[in-house]
Amino acid sequence: MKKGDFKPRMKEMTKEELKLNRQQRKKELKKNRQQMERKDMFEIICQAKKVWGTLRRYTHSLSRSTPVCTHTKLVDVKMAFAHDSVRVLQCFIQFGSHEQRRVVFEELKDDIIGLSKSQYGSHVVKKLLMYGNKELVATVMQCFKGQVRPMLRHAAASSIIEYAYNDKAVLAQRLMLTEELYGNTFAVCKSTVCNTIEKVMEGNPDKLNGIIDEMKQILTPMQEMIESIRESVVYMAHTHDGARVAMHCLWHGTAKDRKVIIKTMKTYMVKFATGEFGHLVLLAVFDCVDDTKLVKQAILSSLDEVITNKYGKKVLLYLLSPRDPAHLLPEIIRMLQQGDGNAHSKKDAAIRRKELLDVVSPALLDYLCNNAHTMVTDKATSVTVSDILASACGDLRPAMTAVAQLANHELVPGGTNNELHMAEHPAGHLVLKWLIEQDLTLAEAGKEERFSRILVDTVGTDILKSWVKANRGAMVLCSLLNSCDTSVAAEVKTALESIKSELSSIRNNKGAEILLENLNK
C-alpha cells in the first residue's frame, strides 16, 4: 500500500449528535452576536438572567443582596428594550422593594415614553405602574403629560395609557390624561376650580364652539387609532371605559376593523355575553356590523350558560327585541344610539335585525322545547319564555306545546311530591297568563299560533276545572275567559258553567271570586 492511500475512517455521527452540534453552534453564534451588540453590558445581563432564573424556580421574594443590586450598575436602558433582559427587569420590579423600584425608575425616567412604545419595554412601564407605590405611580404618570395624544395612537403605548387610566389613576390623574384631548382653548380656560370639560364649558359659554372644533380636530385623526388597537380591544372591554372604547371602535371602524375585532372576541364570547360591561359591546356589534354571517358564528355558543345569566339574558332579548325599554335602562339605549348613522354601516337596520333574528330564533325555540320546565319554574328565566314566543320567527307550536304540557295534570292545592302545579307556581302561573294575553300581540303581528288554543287542546277542559281550587289557577282561568280567541273563551266558559255552584262555595280564594264575576258577565 502506497503512502497516502490509507485514510482512517471517520466515525459517523447520529442524527441526535448532529442536531446537538447544530444547536451548540447556534448558541455560540447568538452569544457572540449579543456580546458584540451589548459590549460592556453583556456580562451584567448574563449574571442578571441567572439571578432571574433562580427567582423563577424558587420563591416570589427577592433577596436584598442579589449580585444585580450590590455588585453592578442596576440598569442600562438597553436592557429594557431587549426581549430577554427585559424579563429580568420585570421580575426585579415585581419582587423588589419600593426603594429598588424607585432606583429602576430613576435610571429609566428619561426613556419612559420610548419604552412605552417598545414591544418589550412597555412591559417594564406596566410593571412600574402595577407594583409601584402611590408616589411612584404618580411620577410615572407625570412622564405621560404632553405625550398622551401620540401615545394613544400607538399600539403598545395605548395599552399603557388604558391600563393607567382604568386601573391605577385617581380622579386628578384621569383629568390630566384626558385634558390633552380637549385642545388649547380648554387649557387656557382651565383653572383649579374649573378643571373639567363640563365646568370649563359652563363657565365659558362663549368658548364652547371653539373647544368643540379643537376637540374634533384632535379626535378625528385618532380614528386611525382603531387599526392599531383593534386586536387589543378584547382585553379592555371588561371595564366600564374599556367597553366604551370597544363600542366606539366598532361604530367608527371599517368593515375590516370590525371583522378583526369580532374574530378576536370569538374565543371569549361567553365572557363578553355574561360580563357587566362586555355584554354592551355585543349589543353594539348587533347594531352596526353588516356581516351577519360573521356575527352569527359567534353569538350561539354556550346558550345554556348565557340564557341563565342576567347580562347574557339581555344579549338574547336584544336580538329578539332591540332597544326595548322593558329590558334596558334609558341611559343604555341613549348610549347605543350614539352608533346610529355611522359611516361604515350600509345595510338597513331593519334588514340587519331580521337577519340576526332568523339566526337566533331556531336555537332559542329548540332550547325552550328542551328546557321548558327549568325556564318556566325559574323566576329569572320565566320572563324570557314569553319574549321568545312573542318575537321569534318560525313555527312556534312545538315550543308552545312543550310549555302547555307542563300543566297537563290535575291541580292539587299545595302540590304533590313537593312540586307545585304550574298554574299554582309563583313563576309558572305568570308564564301562563303572559302567554294567553300575548295571543293578541301575535294576532296583530299576523302570526297564526295561539297559545290559549294550544293550552286548552293539550290540557282539556276536565283538568282545567281543577285549577279553580287554587287562587293562582283561578286567575289563569280568568285570562282564558278573556282570550282574544273567542272560541277558546266560549269553550272554557261552557266548562266552568257546569261547576258554578262549586265556585260559589269556595272560601278564602280571591281568584275564585273574580272568576265567578267573569262568568256572570
Side-chain angles (χ1 to χ4, degrees):
M1 185 178 292
K2 294 180 181 179
K3 186 179 179 180
D5 286 352
F6 177 74
K7 293 181 181 179
R9 187 176 178 181
M10 298 286 289
K11 181 184 176 182
E12 292 184 7
M13 300 180 72
T14 64
K15 288 183 178 179
E16 289 75 15
E17 288 173 330
L18 287 169
K19 185 177 180 181
L20 286 172
N21 274 1
R22 285 195 298 270
Q23 289 176 343
Q24 187 63 34
R25 286 198 298 272
K26 283 183 179 179
K27 284 182 180 178
E28 289 176 1
L29 287 170
K30 182 178 180 181
K31 183 177 179 181
N32 292 335
R33 176 174 52 80
Q34 289 180 340
Q35 194 165 8
M36 290 293 293
E37 290 175 352
R38 298 172 181 179
K39 296 178 181 177
D40 55 327
M41 286 298 299
F42 180 74
E43 292 301 326
I44 296 174
I45 291 173
C46 289
Q47 187 180 1
K49 285 167 72 174
K50 288 179 183 178
V51 176
W52 173 55
T54 304
L55 284 172
R56 293 174 69 200
R57 283 194 298 272
Y58 292 101
T59 67
H60 283 190
S61 62
L62 181 66
S63 169
R64 299 299 181 238
S65 59
T66 58
V68 178
C69 191
T70 58
H71 301 305
T72 66
K73 180 176 182 292
L74 180 62
V75 181
D76 187 287
V77 173
K78 293 177 184 176
M79 289 180 67
F81 284 92
H83 74 94
D84 50 357
S85 54
V86 75
R87 294 174 184 171
V88 180
L89 290 181
Q90 289 181 63
C91 187
F92 192 88
I93 293 166
Q94 181 172 351
F95 301 118
S97 66
H98 288 307
E99 177 59 24
Q100 288 168 327
R101 292 182 189 121
R102 188 193 63 76
V103 172
V104 171
F105 172 75
E106 286 298 321
E107 295 189 26
L108 293 177
K109 63 182 180 182
D110 294 334
D111 292 276
I112 288 293
I113 302 302
L115 287 170
S116 297
K117 294 180 178 180
S118 165
Q119 180 182 359
Y120 305 114
S122 59
H123 297 297
V124 173
V125 181
K126 188 169 184 179
K127 290 288 184 182
L128 287 170
L129 289 170
M130 190 178 292
Y131 295 105
N133 55 20
K134 289 182 180 179
E135 291 75 19
L136 180 59
V137 169
T139 310
V140 173
M141 286 196 196
Q142 198 62 33
C143 294
F144 301 153
K145 191 168 184 178
Q147 299 293 326
V148 173
R149 282 160 58 182
M151 287 179 74
L152 282 175
R153 296 182 64 177
H154 190 279
S158 62
S159 65
I160 297 296
I161 294 294
E162 186 273 331
Y163 177 75
Y165 184 88
N166 282 323
D167 296 86
K168 305 301 291 187
V170 296
L171 180 59
Q173 292 163 342
R174 286 189 168 196
L175 292 174
M176 183 269 289
L177 291 173
T178 55
E179 65 183 19
E180 290 181 41
L181 307 179
Y182 302 146
N184 295 330
T185 304
F186 169 83
V188 171
C189 297
K190 187 188 69 153
S191 65
T192 53
V193 178
C194 296
N195 59 350
T196 66
I197 187 69
E198 294 86 354
K199 289 179 180 178
V200 168
M201 286 183 169
E202 184 180 339
N204 303 270
D206 56 317
K207 305 291 185 183
L208 178 61
N209 292 333
I211 293 174
I212 291 175
D213 287 341
E214 289 179 16
M215 286 177 64
K216 188 175 181 181
Q217 291 173 15
I218 292 169
L219 295 174
T220 300
M222 290 184 66
Q223 298 304 330
E224 300 168 11
M225 179 183 70
I226 295 173
E227 184 176 351
S228 63
I229 69 168
R230 62 191 182 189
E231 293 181 5
S232 305
V233 163
V234 66
Y235 303 113
M236 65 176 77
H238 64 284
T239 66
H240 176 277
D241 293 321
R244 268 57 176 182
V245 170
M247 293 166 78
H248 280 277
C249 287
L250 286 162
W251 290 332
H252 304 295
T254 63
K256 186 175 180 179
D257 293 330
R258 292 169 177 177
K259 186 174 184 178
V260 171
I261 292 171
I262 293 172
K263 284 195 171 182
T264 57
M265 288 170 60
K266 191 174 179 181
T267 309
Y268 309 98
M269 198 54 65
V270 175
K271 287 188 176 181
F272 269 91
T274 57
E276 180 182 0
F277 305 113
H279 81 282
L280 298 174
V281 179
L282 283 180
L283 305 191
V285 168
F286 302 153
D287 280 346
C288 70
V289 177
D290 289 340
D291 188 352
T292 50
K293 288 183 180 179
L294 177 65
V295 175
K296 75 177 183 181
Q297 293 171 1
I299 62 177
L300 295 177
S301 57
S302 301
L303 195 56
D304 186 57
E305 191 175 347
V306 172
I307 204 168
T308 54
N309 177 272
K310 75 180 209 176
Y311 299 114
K313 185 173 67 175
K314 290 179 184 291
V315 171
L316 295 173
L317 291 176
Y318 196 80
L319 287 166
L320 293 169
S321 182
R323 301 186 186 176
D324 189 338
H327 306 141
L328 294 175
L329 295 172
E331 52 266 35
I332 298 296
I333 294 175
R334 286 194 295 270
M335 180 183 65
L336 291 168
Q337 288 171 343
Q338 294 175 30
D340 294 348
N342 66 79
H344 299 288
S345 294
K346 307 298 183 184
K347 189 176 289 185
D348 183 82
I351 295 173
R352 187 188 307 111
R353 289 170 179 172
K354 178 66 168 60
E355 289 174 353
L356 289 173
L357 186 60
D358 288 341
V359 170
V360 77
S361 291
L364 288 176
L365 289 171
D366 286 344
Y367 185 87
L368 178 53
C369 285
N370 298 325
N371 300 274
H373 182 269
T374 304
M375 293 186 71
V376 164
T377 55
D378 181 77
K379 185 178 180 182
T381 56
S382 59
V383 180
T384 314
V385 175
S386 61
D387 285 293
I388 291 173
L389 293 176
S391 304
C393 53
D395 188 3
L396 306 179
R397 289 182 182 84
M400 286 182 170
T401 303
V403 175
Q405 283 287 0
L406 299 176
N408 189 17
H409 57 91
E410 185 176 350
L411 189 154
V412 177
T416 55
N417 299 322
N418 295 319
E419 186 172 342
L420 291 172
H421 189 282
M422 182 181 178
E424 194 181 8
H425 191 277
H429 88 284
L430 288 174
V431 172
L432 291 172
K433 286 182 65 179
W434 292 334
L435 295 182
I436 294 166
E437 293 163 4
Q438 196 167 267
D439 281 346
L440 181 59
T441 305
L442 295 179
E444 291 172 347
K447 296 183 180 180
E448 297 179 358
E449 298 92 346
R450 301 289 179 269
F451 178 75
S452 54
R453 169 46 62 194
I454 290 174
L455 179 64
V456 171
D457 290 345
T458 301
V459 174
T461 53
D462 288 340
I463 292 178
L464 285 174
K465 291 176 187 177
S466 69
W467 294 10
V468 301
K469 300 173 186 176
N471 178 57
R472 290 169 176 160
M475 294 305 296
V476 175
L477 291 173
C478 287
S479 296
L480 283 172
L481 280 178
N482 294 291
S483 170
C484 69
D485 188 327
T486 54
S487 65
V488 168
E491 192 174 334
V492 172
K493 185 172 184 178
T494 301
L496 294 177
E497 287 283 355
S498 63
I499 58 167
K500 249 188 177 183
S501 57
E502 183 182 336
L503 275 172
S504 302
S505 63
I506 295 175
R507 297 288 180 269
N508 301 320
N509 186 330
K510 188 65 177 176
E513 293 177 22
I514 296 172
L515 181 61
L516 194 59
E517 290 175 7
N518 276 266
L519 281 172
N520 291 328
K521 284 183 181 178

